[in-house]
Amino acid sequence: MDKIRQRAFNVSLVVIAVFAVLFSRLIYLQIFEYKELGSISDANSLRRVWVQPPRGRMIDRNDTVIVDNQPLYSVKVVPAEFTDSLKKNMLAGLLDITFEELSERIQKGFKYNRFAPVAVGRDIEPQEMMRLSENLWQLPGVMIEVENKRKYPLELGASHILGYLNFISKNQLEEMSQKGYTPDDKTGSKGLEKKYEDYLRGEKGTRFELVNSIGKSAGKFENGARDRPFIKGNDLYLTLDAGLQKLAEDLLKETGKSGAVVAIDPRNGGILAMASQPDYDLEILNGTTDSKKWLEIVRNPDKPLFNRATQASYPPGSVYKLLLAIAALEERAITPEKTIYCSGVFRLGRGRFLCHGGQGHGPVNLERSIIESCNTYYYNLIFDLGFEKWTEYGRMFGFGKTSGIDLPGERSSPLPSVDYYDKRYGKGKWTRGYLVSLAIGQGELNTTPLQLAAFTATIANKGTWYQPHFVKGYLPDESDTIETLDFRKNKLPISEKTFETVRKAMLGVVERGTGRLAAVKNVKVAGKTGTAQNPHGEDHAWFVAFAPFEEPSIAITVLVENAGYGGSVSAPIAGKLINYYVNGPDTTAVDSLSLTAGHMNSSVNEPQRNDL
């Protein structure tokens, strides 16, 4: 009995001790911590708010900002704190959307994380924001946040270069959630925005707030000790020249045709301008997408979303004669002095292949064949060189594969070869006649304007192929030093003498040949015309060029679809762009970015028709 009493007594002591500790703690909290805990007691939840970082800007080679940020006001809801139907009806009315639309957006967020805010309204007008702010006290779980959307300070198109932002898809979220992405985030969808997403997006910050029963903030949690600031995105420094880009877009639009322009710095592969027409207005996709205008873009039969500079393949026409000439010289299949007689007709078996409507050139050497674009010379030359060597040199210059430009979605066409024809037609089922078309850049041979621009740049610098690129470096947050990016380059095993011979002939094309409309005052321009046959309409007009001849700083390709002759349509565009870049913008213009073709000076001669 004594043992039982002793145990009861010990238990009583333990209970009394526990209650004494609890009572002491209660007294301490009531007397010493009542002010801080008084505010906490009025709050019924702790809310984590993501703080979106400013996205990195894009800056051109002249330190002009071409992509910036501006405020975007979003309305967000915490699904777990916003379940009342009457409140939903009220919020839907304030946002001018249906009850069903609002409920669907909240439900989407609920499935992901019922305690994480989900956007139910984006890019709201200032009037809507003010009206909503006045009623927030009636809408627990609703908040207004300031985010960012893109700002385009200049009147540039450049839509195929810059790209746009789009809401992250379900599949993307599954792959990228570990990087901090949530369902309401936007991510780069096209162009540089997509390619350099990891550089541009920055890191989100977090803010912890105490929220009372009516959704009102009751102050910071632990005085912000657990908050984490955002890290802004890295600024991208581009090789692009905004003035040249604007002029290229304007000149293409003036033709009224579809087409593309690519200008490259032959000293490093940096893209100076890349225009594709038609294009589209990036503002339509900025902030909240205008669905009606978006459908107009998607349904446009001219395909404005299609980047003709990197995704469209065309026969290169006579421009590709330059490659055949380089290969034949390097393999000593011909000398610069050797002549071939052009009667106007080339015969192969029963086949007859005309040189410009059957009009002959007489004795033609290599230089004259390029200047006057003699087809017969190259009909003969491809057999002197051999098909396999023709293919080998094409691969050497990057044809038949993508260039690796830092834009998503680049495409390329196969480069014809013996194996290619064997697979396509069967061994022994194709003839030497197929090579005749290849000799003048026709047949199954196709290339993109970008590939021809890189090819022209390689000729300009006498043999170094550079990987085309837009971004030369990025500026990390809180740093004053630009981190440069590395791109591939390849010194081709071709003699400087070979390049000098071809370059000299290209100079003659502009000075006295088929490309005279590309001439620029006080600047030596070397070029080559091309007219690519098109079975679906008028021929496509090509022109490639580089300048200044002595020390080239720009190599350019111009393509205008269904426009006829390269010498009369594309060459003048190239000349005006070279004039702008080498001689500088017209000093009488108020804004260099508003220059049009009328501000440019170039030599004007009668167009030549023998540039097939």
Side-chain angles (χ1 to χ4, degrees):
M1 195 67 177
D2 291 338
K3 288 184 180 181
I4 294 174
R5 288 177 179 174
Q6 183 63 40
R7 288 176 182 172
F9 179 75
N10 291 339
V11 170
S12 299
L13 287 177
V14 172
V15 171
I16 292 170
V18 170
F19 274 97
V21 171
L22 293 175
F23 186 70
S24 299
R25 180 60 178 169
L26 180 61
I27 292 173
Y28 173 79
L29 294 175
Q30 288 286 346
I31 296 175
F32 299 104
E33 298 287 338
Y34 76 94
K35 287 186 179 179
E36 181 176 349
L37 295 177
S39 62
I40 295 178
S41 67
D42 291 334
N44 63 3
S45 66
L46 178 66
R47 179 185 292 162
R48 180 177 65 176
V49 179
W50 292 109
V51 183
Q52 294 287 348
R55 198 168 174 85
R57 302 174 300 167
M58 297 187 199
I59 302 168
D60 88 338
R61 68 190 298 111
N62 300 311
D63 292 328
T64 301
V65 177
I66 59 177
V67 180
D68 208 338
N69 297 299
Q70 59 183 317
L72 178 147
Y73 297 98
S74 296
V75 179
K76 294 190 174 183
V77 166
V78 179
E81 300 176 17
F82 198 73
T83 56
D84 189 289
S85 295
L86 292 175
K87 303 296 185 186
K88 287 183 182 179
N89 262 321
M90 181 180 180
L91 181 59
L94 290 169
L95 295 176
D96 197 23
I97 60 175
T98 65
F99 178 86
E100 290 72 23
E101 285 179 300
L102 178 62
S103 298
E104 184 181 344
R105 294 173 189 178
I106 294 174
Q107 184 61 25
K108 179 183 176 182
F110 193 94
K111 290 179 179 178
Y112 178 77
N113 185 342
R114 62 196 180 102
F115 298 109
V118 59
V120 295
R122 249 196 174 94
D123 204 9
I124 61 173
E125 296 294 329
Q127 299 89 338
E128 292 178 340
M129 184 186 67
M130 292 173 63
R131 189 167 63 245
L132 185 60
S133 299
E134 293 172 356
N135 290 278
L136 273 183
W137 65 275
Q138 301 181 72
L139 299 168
V142 177
M143 66 193 79
I144 298 175
E145 288 190 9
V146 182
E147 300 179 23
N148 297 288
K149 69 175 181 178
R150 284 314 210 178
K151 180 180 181 181
Y152 307 102
L154 307 179
E155 293 182 0
L156 287 180
S159 52
H160 299 101
I161 301 171
L162 304 176
Y164 55 87
L165 305 179
N166 209 346
F167 287 110
I168 191 168
S169 67
K170 184 178 180 181
N171 291 336
Q172 286 177 316
L173 185 60
E174 290 176 357
E175 298 174 4
M176 302 164 70
S177 58
Q178 293 182 345
K179 295 182 179 180
Y181 286 87
T182 59
D184 288 329
D185 286 341
K186 283 193 170 186
T187 181
S189 183
K190 298 286 183 181
L192 297 177
E193 294 279 18
K194 180 177 182 179
K195 184 68 177 181
Y196 290 94
E197 169 69 14
D198 289 343
Y199 290 88
L200 291 166
R201 73 186 188 96
E203 291 185 24
K204 294 179 186 177
T206 50
R207 185 176 72 248
F208 293 94
E209 293 181 349
L210 295 167
V211 184
N212 63 25
S213 58
I214 62 170
K216 186 177 180 181
S217 175
K220 294 183 178 181
F221 177 66
E222 294 185 355
N223 290 321
R226 298 192 185 184
D227 292 354
R228 188 184 68 188
F230 64 74
I231 299 176
K232 70 179 291 292
N234 301 313
D235 290 340
L236 294 185
Y237 282 79
L238 310 185
T239 60
L240 198 72
D241 184 300
L244 189 70
Q245 176 70 25
K246 179 65 166 62
L247 182 58
E249 293 169 0
D250 289 346
L251 292 175
L252 268 182
K253 287 177 183 177
E254 286 177 9
T255 68
K257 305 280 188 179
S258 298
V261 170
V262 181
I264 293 181
D265 187 335
R267 298 166 295 187
N268 52 40
I271 302 290
L272 304 173
M274 178 184 285
S276 174
Q277 286 296 323
D279 59 4
Y280 55 96
D281 186 359
L282 287 173
E283 284 293 354
I284 294 172
L285 306 171
N286 194 22
T288 301
T289 301
D290 186 319
S291 57
K292 184 178 179 181
K293 291 182 179 179
W294 171 245
L295 285 176
E296 289 177 1
I297 293 173
V298 173
R299 293 172 179 172
N300 189 328
D302 292 328
K303 300 180 179 179
L305 291 172
F306 191 55
N307 186 353
R308 285 165 168 77
T310 63
Q311 297 177 316
S313 292
Y314 310 84
S318 290
V319 172
Y320 213 75
K321 292 174 182 175
L322 298 173
L323 185 136
L324 179 50
I326 290 170
L329 285 170
E330 196 65 17
E331 294 298 321
R332 300 181 180 178
I334 201 168
T335 64
E337 298 77 23
K338 182 179 177 180
T339 61
I340 295 175
Y341 185 80
C342 172
S343 65
V345 180
F346 175 77
R347 304 182 191 282
L348 182 67
R350 296 181 180 178
R352 295 173 72 254
F353 301 89
L354 302 181
C355 186
H356 309 312
Q359 297 179 359
H361 291 91
V364 180
N365 62 11
L366 181 70
E367 183 174 5
R368 188 180 174 202
S369 76
I370 292 175
I371 292 173
E372 299 185 15
S373 203
C374 175
N375 287 349
T376 303
Y377 186 93
Y378 293 92
Y379 292 150
N380 285 278
L381 192 56
I382 196 167
F383 295 110
D384 293 337
L385 174 67
F387 187 21
E388 291 183 352
K389 283 295 179 183
W390 179 90
T391 303
E392 178 186 327
Y393 276 80
R395 287 178 181 149
M396 192 183 298
F397 280 94
F399 295 103
K401 56 187 176 182
T402 56
S403 70
I405 188 173
D406 50 351
L407 278 184
E410 183 188 7
R411 299 177 186 172
S412 183
S413 297
L415 178 68
S417 64
V418 172
D419 290 341
Y420 172 81
Y421 278 146
D422 285 346
K423 289 178 182 178
R424 181 165 183 176
Y425 300 109
K427 284 190 176 182
K429 294 185 179 180
W430 55 278
T431 67
R432 285 160 50 92
Y434 285 70
L435 306 188
V436 177
S437 293
L438 296 180
I440 59 170
Q442 297 288 164
E444 289 82 1
L445 176 64
N446 278 278
T447 183
T448 66
L450 173 64
Q451 288 174 318
L452 278 187
F455 168 63
T456 307
T458 306
I459 296 175
N461 66 40
K462 303 178 187 177
T464 301
W465 183 92
Y466 288 98
Q467 180 183 358
H469 58 275
F470 280 100
V471 178
K472 59 184 175 183
Y474 65 95
L475 186 65
D477 186 37
E478 297 183 357
S479 174
D480 297 326
T481 304
I482 296 174
E483 298 286 340
T484 57
L485 300 179
D486 293 325
F487 295 92
R488 290 181 291 115
K489 67 177 182 178
N490 181 27
K491 181 64 178 175
L492 305 188
I494 298 173
S495 69
E496 186 171 318
K497 183 179 179 181
T498 292
F499 282 113
E500 285 289 6
T501 301
V502 172
R503 291 170 87 255
K504 182 182 176 183
M506 291 176 69
L507 182 64
V509 169
V510 178
E511 291 184 342
R512 58 188 185 278
T514 58
R516 282 178 283 180
L517 289 178
V520 176
K521 186 177 181 180
N522 300 325
V523 178
K524 285 188 175 182
V525 178
K528 180 70 187 82
T529 55
T531 303
Q533 295 174 6
N534 173 27
H536 306 293
E538 283 196 65
D539 295 338
H540 301 317
W542 284 106
F543 189 75
V544 302
F546 64 84
F549 180 79
E550 302 82 1
E551 295 184 12
S553 59
I554 182 172
I556 193 166
T557 293
V558 179
L559 168 75
V560 183
E561 293 182 8
N562 312 119
Y565 296 94
S568 58
V569 179
S570 296
I573 294 174
K576 290 166 185 173
L577 292 169
I578 289 171
N579 184 35
Y580 176 96
Y581 189 74
V582 176
N583 290 332
D586 190 334
T587 54
T588 63
V590 175
D591 181 358
S592 65
L593 293 180
S594 65
L595 283 172
T596 61
H599 294 130
M600 309 272 64
N601 295 315
S602 64
S603 300
V604 179
N605 297 285
E606 288 298 316
Q608 302 297 302
R609 296 286 176 150
N610 55 342
D611 60 344
L612 289 174

